[in-house]
Amino acid sequence: MATATKQDYYELLGVGRKAPQKEIRQAYRRLARKYHPDLNPGDKSAEEKFKQVQEAYDVLSDTKKRQMYDQFGFDAERRGAVPPDAAPGEHFDFQGFDFGGSSGTSFRDLFSQFFRGGAEGGAMEEIEPGSDLEYHIRIGFWEAVRGTVKKLTITRLDICETCHGSGAVGSPQVCASCKGTGQVSRKSGQMRFNLACPQCGGSGHVQTPCRTCGGEGRIRRTETIDVRIPAGVQTGSRVRVAGHGNAGTHGSPPGDLYIVTEVEPHPYFERRGDDLYTTVPITVSEASLGAKIEVPTLDGRALLRVPPGTNSGQKLRLRERGMSSLRQAGKRGDLYVELQVVVPKPIDEKVKELLRELARLDPEDPRRDLFARATS
């Protein structure tokens, strides 16, 4: 009857039944810090909650035990259930063991003996590298061309200055539960099991959790840093700032900071990768006879040769006049200039006569084969 009143392990940790191991681990760490006896001295309800959280995590953090719990629930204790991936002929008969009595081993302890070698409680000291952070910034077109330095205010998990990231203060003390051995004995019927001490995680020593960080070893801190944005970034580029992500636990390395850029468009230059595109107007005489014209580039004015007989829409390329390449140091894209022929307006009779004379001298019909091609 006792098991009927036990709270579901998933509900106890506040996670869904399909939760990944990372989410289960984070939920356990949060609750374990909240209800740890050293942070709640004399609070029996917090101590009991701490034990329940440990038991729930011990089952859900182990793949085999979690499969059995998902399939049978607490009923797995009396069924002598076999893990779904057990080897042929492998059987774990739990009949005759005292699962619920105060002198018997618990469901959690017995499973730890078979599937983990009794290594329980060690999750309190689990070491995790710091996670990465990502921030988005908007920069101007010319800042992307030349590169820039931006001030950025970020909030991240940093090493606790009180405990220097250890999560504990003071000198280690011999664990009172296991007397420094790191193991405790549990009896079930006529059998006795040696399990890792849940109080010290098997180390044989305990330390007082740091009150500044709650035993996490990290605190949330806001700081302003200078970030160098290299020349050539575009919308969606990721600039890495090493070591400026969240700090890791118990001295493990920090993550990185990634800056995702959004570059404002330019009214004259259109960017496609490292290449730039622009449109330059030319006169009818320049298109017909050819000419040398000046065009704007990122580096100032450049001379462009227009070949004779140029049509409107024709593109000419200026090599190495585009954006700097992030992938190839020292390389630049190209600038593509689309020529647009501007037809003069016949504002007086003299201009009209010149155009009529041009038509008589060059009577070629540019639409001569148009309909033949359209119907072929």
Side-chain angles (χ1 to χ4, degrees):
M1 292 294 182
T3 57
T5 62
K6 295 183 71 173
Q7 187 177 356
D8 177 74
Y9 287 150
Y10 291 101
E11 293 179 0
L12 191 62
L13 295 182
V15 298
R17 302 190 74 85
K18 301 296 184 181
Q21 284 297 326
K22 183 177 180 180
E23 183 180 346
I24 291 174
R25 182 170 61 252
Q26 290 174 342
Y28 165 69
R29 290 172 62 84
R30 182 177 63 254
L31 294 172
R33 287 194 301 270
K34 180 178 180 181
Y35 295 111
H36 197 282
D38 289 342
L39 295 178
N40 301 274
D43 189 340
K44 295 297 182 182
S45 62
E47 183 178 352
E48 181 61 28
K49 194 73 172 180
F50 178 74
K51 293 178 180 179
Q52 294 174 4
V53 168
Q54 273 196 312
E55 179 174 331
Y57 178 71
D58 192 66
V59 172
L60 299 185
S61 64
D62 186 280
T63 303
K64 292 183 179 180
K65 289 188 288 184
R66 184 178 180 181
Q67 288 176 336
M68 294 177 68
Y69 177 74
D70 288 342
Q71 185 174 358
F72 300 107
F74 297 112
D75 197 38
E77 296 175 354
R78 70 172 181 81
R79 289 193 179 195
V82 178
D85 59 347
E90 185 179 8
H91 180 69
F92 297 91
D93 187 0
F94 298 140
Q95 295 180 0
F97 289 89
D98 179 7
F99 286 93
S102 58
S103 62
T105 184
S106 69
F107 175 59
R108 167 172 55 87
D109 292 342
L110 187 59
F111 268 32
S112 291
Q113 177 66 25
F114 279 109
F115 298 131
R116 194 185 290 179
E120 63 179 72
M124 288 295 293
E125 299 296 328
E126 184 173 1
I127 295 178
E128 292 182 356
S131 57
D132 296 332
L133 293 177
E134 185 175 283
Y135 277 77
H136 293 248
I137 63 171
R138 184 178 177 88
I139 64 174
F141 176 82
W142 290 105
E143 289 179 313
V145 171
R146 303 184 180 102
T148 185
V149 175
K150 306 291 284 188
K151 286 191 177 296
L152 184 65
T153 300
I154 63 172
T155 300
R156 68 190 188 98
L157 291 174
D158 201 3
I159 294 177
C160 175
E161 295 180 352
T162 302
C163 64
H164 306 290
S166 68
V169 294
S171 301
Q173 304 295 322
V174 175
C175 177
S177 296
C178 64
K179 310 303 181 185
T181 64
Q183 292 187 329
V184 292
S185 180
R186 293 289 185 268
K187 186 177 181 181
S188 179
Q190 300 300 316
M191 299 185 67
R192 184 175 296 274
F193 299 93
N194 287 325
L195 307 172
C197 175
Q199 187 67 22
C200 65
S203 66
H205 295 83
V206 293
Q207 284 183 276
T208 303
C210 174
R211 292 186 177 272
T212 302
C213 61
E216 170 75 16
R218 305 178 295 180
I219 57 174
R220 194 167 295 277
R221 178 174 289 126
T222 299
E223 60 180 322
T224 300
I225 61 174
D226 290 330
V227 179
R228 189 182 71 83
I229 307 298
V233 296
Q234 57 186 308
T235 296
S237 293
R238 287 165 57 89
V239 180
R240 176 174 172 262
V241 184
H244 275 74
N246 287 324
T249 60
H250 302 288
S252 57
D256 297 327
L257 170 65
Y258 287 91
I259 309 300
V260 182
T261 57
E262 179 184 353
V263 181
E264 296 175 355
H266 191 272
Y268 182 76
F269 296 109
E270 178 189 354
R271 182 172 181 177
R272 304 178 193 174
D274 293 333
D275 296 329
L276 294 176
Y277 290 77
T278 190
T279 300
V280 173
I282 60 174
T283 65
V284 172
S285 59
E286 289 173 332
S288 300
L289 302 176
K292 291 182 178 180
I293 63 173
E294 286 187 331
V295 296
T297 72
L298 299 182
D299 310 302
R301 301 187 179 201
L303 201 62
L304 178 67
R305 180 181 174 277
V306 179
T310 296
N311 291 318
S312 189
Q314 185 172 338
K315 292 184 179 66
L316 301 178
R317 180 173 65 173
L318 290 173
R319 295 180 182 272
E320 297 284 324
R321 292 301 182 100
M323 299 290 294
S324 298
S325 175
L326 286 177
R327 296 183 179 86
Q328 294 179 291
K331 295 290 185 180
R332 293 179 60 176
D334 299 328
L335 172 63
Y336 290 87
V337 179
E338 180 178 336
L339 301 175
Q340 186 179 54
V341 180
V342 179
V343 179
K345 296 180 180 179
I347 56 178
D348 56 36
E349 194 60 33
K350 185 176 180 180
V351 173
K352 293 179 181 179
E353 184 59 34
L354 287 173
L355 292 175
R356 293 190 190 101
E357 180 66 19
L358 177 62
R360 286 193 295 270
L361 293 174
D362 185 16
E364 182 180 358
D365 183 2
R367 299 178 298 280
R368 180 180 57 190
D369 301 327
L370 179 64
F371 294 97
R373 293 198 305 268
T375 58
S376 60

